[in-house]
Amino acid sequence: MTTDVQTRHFEEFAEVLLRCNHLYHPSNDSIALRNAVESRRQIEIFDYSRAADAFMRAFGMRNSLKCLQALTSLRATVHKYRRVCDLGCGSGAFSLAFAYLAGNPELQLHGLDISEHQLSLARELISAAGLPGRFQFEQRNLPAPIGYLPDLTISSYWFCENEHVIADAELFSLMAGREMLVVDYEKIIDRIATCLPKGFHILGRHSGHVEIPPALADFVAQERASVYGIHIGRATVETGK
Ligand SMILES: C[S@@+](CC[C@H](N)C(=O)[O-])C[C@H]1O[C@@H](n2cnc3c(N)ncnc32)[C@H](O)[C@@H]1O
């Protein structure tokens, strides 16, 4: 993808995010949460039943932009995935970025999360964004069987909260689709690359920065953010026999 096309994608995606601005306006709680996280500079595990709304206002747009940046590494193939599953979808950051870039009316996007509060935010977000595709957000305590093999599994900042899945080949395989794209902290992406079980291979790794579009300056209190991602393929698809 050329720099011009990428810049245009970010500007257009900023318009989509701004259509949903009522869900992203900073609140006292979101500003306090952001300040607390920045002062600690560590991997945070939040209490999502209490902090879902504040988390979305503090980090939702930024996470979505990071996911869009990682998705641009899929280049033209983003349109080919029909059944896509977002693990730990939260308030829908990755789902939104995927649906925007795919622009695919055939898309069936399935978001899973343990927190009903987060899922209700994701449903609101996707409905406000009005992007093509069918969307279903469902409560699930992961890892757990998904019931089908997605063409692509996407996941942002879920593995950092479920690190045991990285080193457990069976659980990892349960969570991965035919392909999987993960956005997470650098050390988590490194760990996934190092622990990758037999039957999977790395299709690509992504590390870079996302420049926050100026139109979003009131919502994302930083000018650029780092992004780390990994794209994984499943070598053989088990038939269950
Ligand atoms: C850091 S948030 C990331 C949310 C979203 N993917 C994003 O990038 O903004 C992690 C999400 O994973 C969910 N989660 C954590 N552990 C989970 C589990 N065991 N099963 C299902 N969801 C889980 C949380 O409820 C939360 O919504």
Side-chain angles (χ1 to χ4, degrees):
M1 203 173 279
T2 65
T3 314
D4 278 358
V5 173
Q6 197 155 326
T7 306
R8 200 186 49 188
H9 279 315
F10 276 92
E11 282 168 4
E12 267 181 24
F13 188 54
E15 287 170 26
V16 174
L17 289 166
L18 287 171
R19 281 210 287 277
C20 314
N21 71 76
H22 58 292
L23 293 162
Y24 289 120
H25 267 296
S27 63
N28 289 341
D29 283 352
S30 72
I31 293 165
L33 181 68
R34 168 188 286 284
N35 289 341
V37 168
E38 270 162 21
S39 65
R40 290 195 286 267
R41 298 202 168 278
Q42 62 184 28
I43 291 182
E44 292 278 342
I45 311 262
F46 300 93
D47 174 355
Y48 294 101
S49 51
R50 275 194 323 110
D53 181 78
F55 178 87
M56 181 173 194
R57 292 175 191 281
F59 303 113
M61 273 197 186
R62 189 194 66 181
N63 282 3
S64 235
L65 291 163
K66 288 184 178 201
C67 293
L68 184 67
Q69 171 85 345
L71 280 166
T72 58
S73 67
L74 297 181
R75 296 189 180 83
T77 63
V78 70
H79 313 282
K80 81 175 188 193
Y81 307 98
R82 211 162 62 93
R83 296 221 284 183
V84 176
C85 183
D86 186 354
L87 303 175
C89 61
S91 50
F94 214 157
S95 296
L96 186 76
F98 188 90
Y100 160 71
L101 200 62
N104 178 6
E106 303 291 311
L107 174 66
Q108 293 174 27
L109 202 150
H110 186 197
L112 300 173
D113 202 281
I114 196 170
S115 157
E116 197 44 67
H117 193 173
Q118 293 272 45
L119 291 163
S120 66
L121 290 169
R123 290 184 198 109
E124 254 192 86
L125 178 72
I126 288 292
S127 138
L131 296 168
R134 282 185 18 220
F135 302 90
Q136 186 196 2
F137 293 98
E138 198 187 335
Q139 189 174 34
R140 199 77 65 90
N141 187 359
L142 301 169
I146 291 175
Y148 63 97
L149 188 65
D151 300 325
L152 178 72
T153 305
I154 55 178
S155 188
S156 52
Y157 302 100
W158 177 78
F159 278 96
C160 60
E161 298 193 356
N162 294 275
E163 279 198 57
H164 64 289
V165 178
I166 301 174
D168 184 321
E170 223 169 286
L171 294 181
F172 189 87
S173 183
L174 196 61
M175 291 294 84
R178 288 177 208 280
E179 293 177 27
M180 177 154 77
L181 182 66
V182 181
V183 171
D184 216 304
Y185 295 94
E186 184 175 19
K187 87 168 188 117
I188 299 295
I189 298 299
D190 283 345
R191 231 185 127 208
I192 292 175
T194 314
C195 298
L196 207 57
K198 222 166 141 247
F200 290 93
H201 55 278
I202 297 176
L203 295 168
R205 278 190 73 164
H206 186 87
S207 82
H209 287 92
V210 55
E211 303 291 337
I212 307 300
L216 304 180
D218 289 348
F219 298 88
V220 186
Q222 59 196 88
E223 286 175 7
R224 64 200 319 242
S226 46
V227 188
Y228 300 95
I230 188 163
H231 182 194
I232 289 157
R234 190 186 278 270
T236 50
V237 174
E238 296 98 14
T239 59
K241 287 179 195 160

